[in-house]
Amino acid sequence: MASRSTEPRTGIGSSPTIDAVSLAIIEQLQEDGRRPYAAIGKAVGLSEAAVRQRVQKLLDQGVMQIVAVTDPLTVGFRRQAMVGINVEGDLDPVAEALTAMAECEYVVMTAGSFDLMVEVVCEDDDHLLDVINKRIRTLPGVRSTESFVYLKLKKQTYMWGTR
């Protein structure tokens, strides 16, 4: 394991404090989300019970989630796209409406050419067209959209949490 500062880390906007041991636990779970607490404890120098408590606290604080990540193609979603959206006025209502859409997997407010970027996962091109044309573009405040259709996914990892 790489050496790491013993100073607690905080994220953007006064997020919970994460110490080196919690970061090491997260790293262990990123390598294998099913790794037993006893094995994690051995790797980070804690008891199984202490690891279980820390993991629960990290989950409760929203620091991490433990989920199964799928390849959308293998579960019937043949079309993915990133959609850049320009908004007139307040971004929050548009961002909230997008987060409520099941097809929108990732919604972020940005600086630059677009006000919002949204990753959309759809069954096929007709579904994507419906989401963009009839649901996103019709939201009050949406001025314009630009779609970036994924042709091939080359890399998708979730290992950035402890660097």
Side-chain angles (χ1 to χ4, degrees), residues 4-161:
R4 115 178 348 119
S5 169
T6 57
E7 293 294 314
R9 274 185 14 193
T10 58
I12 298 170
S14 67
S15 295
T17 300
I18 308 300
D19 65 13
V21 175
S22 291
L23 286 173
I25 291 169
I26 293 168
E27 190 174 81
Q28 290 285 310
L29 289 168
Q30 283 181 319
E31 288 175 13
D32 180 357
R34 298 177 299 160
R35 183 165 290 155
Y37 291 146
I40 295 170
K42 187 174 182 179
V44 303
L46 293 177
S47 69
E48 179 179 350
V51 171
R52 185 182 318 279
Q53 288 174 345
R54 281 193 181 235
V55 168
Q56 191 58 56
K57 183 177 179 183
L58 292 166
L59 293 168
D60 291 345
Q61 290 176 329
V63 171
M64 68 176 191
Q65 299 175 4
I66 301 172
V67 299
V69 178
T70 62
D71 174 356
L73 289 174
T74 63
V75 292
F77 296 101
R78 305 254 176 255
R79 182 56 68 214
Q80 291 178 269
M82 185 65 69
V83 180
I85 302 170
N86 285 308
V87 175
E88 193 136 336
D90 189 2
L91 300 179
D92 284 323
V94 177
E96 290 302 317
L98 293 166
T99 62
M101 292 182 193
E103 294 87 355
C104 296
E105 295 294 324
Y106 183 77
V107 178
V108 62
M109 293 179 179
T110 65
S113 298
F114 300 103
D115 298 313
L116 298 165
M117 294 291 292
V118 180
E119 184 175 37
V120 179
V121 179
C122 296
E123 295 166 13
D124 54 30
D125 287 337
D126 288 335
H127 186 195
L128 177 62
L129 179 60
D130 183 67
V131 169
I132 293 170
N133 196 43
K134 295 189 175 153
R135 296 178 55 206
I136 294 176
R137 287 183 178 160
T138 60
L139 290 173
V142 170
R143 188 171 9 127
S144 64
T145 65
E146 184 172 346
S147 301
F148 304 90
V149 175
Y150 297 4
L151 298 176
K152 186 174 187 176
L153 182 62
K154 294 295 280 185
K155 180 179 180 182
Q156 180 174 356
T157 66
Y158 298 96
M159 300 301 291
W160 44 263

